[in-house]
Amino acid sequence: MNNWISFLPPLLDLNGEWQVNIESNWPRIEKLTKKVNTKPKLKKVTGTLKLKCNFFQTSGYFEVDDKDSNRNSRTYRSDLVASSLRKENDHFLLSYIAKANVKNPDTKTDEQHYLFSSEVTFQSGELNQSSGYYWTNRKYNTGHNAAGELQLIRK
């Protein structure tokens, strides 16, 4: 009788600001394009993800904390374009796609816009932090698409 409820997506309060910590494989990609045979460490990137969720949609955007960088070409904002929230094995999975915008793209390694996808896991009973993986299609045709680990912590 109440089986129809199980078909509804889970409704979690993910509204608010989230500290984002990323460990990107970007240094490894740079080394590969320069044909150096070393395995650099992952690059740490931080930012803020602002989410607004309701029963019908999740919207929001991600801003990179890159003020100390001397790079001209950098991602300054990513806007969510699609998301999915589901329960799996007593955990909640948030999958999303965002469109990233790049300031002054370097034509060798960048594009004006690219897609950023991620899937993070919220442990049952712990909705103030999550972790998972991300990947991009950033300049994929030249092998400059990044991937790595992602952590969200509610502010």
Side-chain angles (χ1 to χ4, degrees), residues 25-26 28-33 108-109 136-147:
N25 69 340
W26 185 249
R28 294 176 184 168
I29 291 170
E30 285 183 314
K31 291 292 185 186
L32 287 173
T33 58
K108 293 178 186 174
T109 60
T136 75
N137 73 340
R138 182 182 206 164
K139 204 70 170 178
Y140 72 92
N141 55 341
T142 61
H144 289 91
N145 48 319

Side-chain angles (χ1 to χ4, degrees), residues 7-155:
F7 292 106
L8 295 174
L11 183 59
L12 302 178
D13 181 12
L14 302 179
N15 294 300
E17 291 189 11
W18 296 80
Q19 172 66 41
V20 178
N21 301 312
I22 295 174
E23 292 196 11
S24 171
N25 69 340
W26 185 249
R28 294 176 184 168
I29 291 170
E30 285 183 314
K31 291 292 185 186
L32 287 173
T33 58
K34 294 177 183 176
K35 298 182 181 179
V36 176
N37 294 326
T38 61
K39 186 177 178 184
K41 293 181 180 179
L42 297 175
K43 179 180 180 178
K44 295 184 185 302
V45 178
T46 61
T48 299
L49 175 64
K50 295 184 181 183
L51 290 177
K52 185 173 182 180
C53 307
N54 61 38
F55 190 71
F56 302 103
Q57 71 176 3
T58 300
S59 60
Y61 61 91
F62 171 65
E63 292 181 319
V64 178
D65 296 333
D66 201 11
K67 297 174 184 95
D68 297 330
S69 175
N70 58 2
R71 294 179 300 126
N72 286 330
S73 174
R74 64 184 183 91
T75 302
Y76 61 93
R77 180 177 164 131
S78 301
D79 296 297
L80 265 64
V81 295
S83 66
S84 168
L85 181 62
R86 65 193 184 285
K87 189 171 185 178
E88 195 173 286
N89 299 327
D90 292 326
H91 306 301
F92 293 101
L93 298 174
L94 173 64
S95 303
Y96 62 90
I97 299 172
K99 185 172 184 177
N101 301 291
V102 178
K103 178 183 174 184
N104 303 320
D106 179 340
T107 57
K108 293 178 186 174
T109 60
D110 253 323
E111 297 175 282
Q112 189 74 47
H113 308 283
Y114 63 90
L115 295 176
F116 176 103
S117 298
S118 178
E119 183 170 84
V120 294
T121 301
F122 290 90
Q123 302 298 324
S124 185
E126 177 54 75
L127 299 180
N128 290 318
Q129 64 181 13
S130 67
S131 61
Y133 300 96
Y134 84 94
W135 54 97
T136 75
N137 73 340
R138 182 182 206 164
K139 204 70 170 178
Y140 72 92
N141 55 341
T142 61
H144 289 91
N145 48 319
E149 300 171 11
L150 182 74
Q151 180 186 40
L152 302 179
I153 302 168
R154 190 186 299 265
K155 288 185 173 185

